[in-house]
């Protein structure tokens, strides 16, 4: 089975989105996302795909949707379980769930690693949240020092590993 990851940029209060878009865009986070996901499989919900607007280059793209969609360069499936089954037959050693909120929640029990960009910012408005990361289930394997740069919100990259074995799907 391929290593299963969730990757997300999470603001204070577990906020990740508002009105179908990210709360903030940090260039270093976008670079980090690209470095981790290139050459692998990415799984996203339909709304996340629509917010991106195109398949991500050099990655196998899977969209989970209940709608009948035919998108060039994208595999469309009906469920997260179908997405994981399909991912096993695609290139890449890792599978990354890249959003949105409902898919993150559904994927948590099946995930080995969380690649989280923690952003020190509490937005005034949010409507999408990342699931709770329980210290009973997750341990920090790696954490960068917090980045402070002019005109960019303080942030750091944190990798969590599951303490117990992942549920098979």
């Amino acid at each position: 089975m391929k290593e299963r990851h969730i990757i997300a940029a999470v603001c204070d209060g577990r906020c990740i989105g508002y009105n179908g878009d990210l709360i903030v865009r940090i260039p270093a986070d976008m670079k980090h996302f690209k470095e981790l996901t290139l050459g692998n499989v990415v799984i996203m919900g339909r709304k996340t795909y629509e917010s991106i607007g195109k398949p991500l280059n050099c990655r196998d793209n899977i969209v989970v949707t209940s709608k009948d969609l035919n998108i060039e360069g994208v595999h469309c499936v009906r469920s997260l379980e179908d997405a994981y089954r399909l991912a096993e037959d695609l290139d890449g050693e890792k599978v990354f769930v890249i959003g949105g909120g409902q898919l993150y929640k559904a994927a948590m029990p099946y995930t080995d690693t969380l690649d989280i960009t923690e952003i020190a910012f509490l937005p005034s408005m949010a409507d999408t949240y990342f699931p709770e990361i329980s210290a009973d289930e997750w341990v920090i394997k790696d954490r960068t020092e917090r980045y402070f740069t002019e005109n960019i919100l303080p942030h750091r990259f944190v990798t969590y590993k599951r303490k117990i074995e992942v549920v098979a799907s």
Side-chain angles (χ1 to χ4, degrees):
M1 183 179 349
K2 292 183 181 181
E3 192 175 320
R4 295 177 178 180
H5 292 243
I6 287 177
I7 187 166
V10 182
C11 294
D12 292 341
R14 298 186 294 115
C15 302
I16 58 172
Y18 179 68
N19 205 23
D21 206 357
L22 297 174
I23 298 276
V24 294
R25 295 186 191 282
I26 297 174
D29 175 54
M30 299 296 182
K31 180 180 178 190
H32 182 68
F33 173 90
K34 186 175 182 179
E35 288 171 352
L36 290 179
T37 62
L38 268 178
N40 290 294
V41 179
V42 292
I43 298 173
M44 65 195 96
R46 179 188 50 82
K47 292 178 186 176
T48 298
Y49 175 78
E50 289 173 350
S51 74
I52 296 169
K54 62 180 182 179
L56 296 173
N57 292 333
C58 303
R59 287 156 273 211
D60 284 309
N61 290 253
I62 301 174
V63 173
V64 178
T65 179
S66 61
K67 298 189 178 215
D68 288 323
L69 298 177
N70 186 7
I71 306 167
E72 188 175 333
V74 174
H75 304 277
C76 293
V77 298
R78 298 282 182 178
S79 69
L80 178 61
E81 292 77 15
D82 289 344
Y84 280 137
R85 275 193 290 278
L86 175 59
E88 290 299 319
D89 295 329
L90 300 174
D91 292 335
E93 296 177 11
K94 299 175 185 175
V95 178
F96 288 86
V97 171
I98 66 169
Q102 292 176 341
L103 208 53
Y104 284 144
K105 183 177 180 181
M108 285 292 273
Y110 306 104
T111 300
D112 305 296
T113 304
L114 304 175
D115 297 297
I116 305 297
T117 301
E118 294 179 346
I119 304 168
F121 171 67
L122 184 59
S124 60
M125 299 182 67
D127 59 11
T128 309
Y129 299 88
F130 195 79
E132 180 103 20
I133 300 172
S134 168
D136 292 337
E137 295 180 52
W138 300 94
V139 62
I140 294 174
K141 179 166 175 134
D142 188 37
R143 176 177 25 210
T144 65
E145 292 301 314
R146 195 171 288 279
Y147 291 104
F148 291 93
T149 55
E150 190 174 325
N151 298 323
I152 304 238
L153 294 170
H155 60 284
R156 67 177 155 216
F157 305 121
V158 183
T159 303
Y160 293 86
K161 288 288 191 179
R162 182 175 294 283
K163 288 182 178 180
I164 56 175
E165 199 169 308
V166 171
V167 175
S169 67

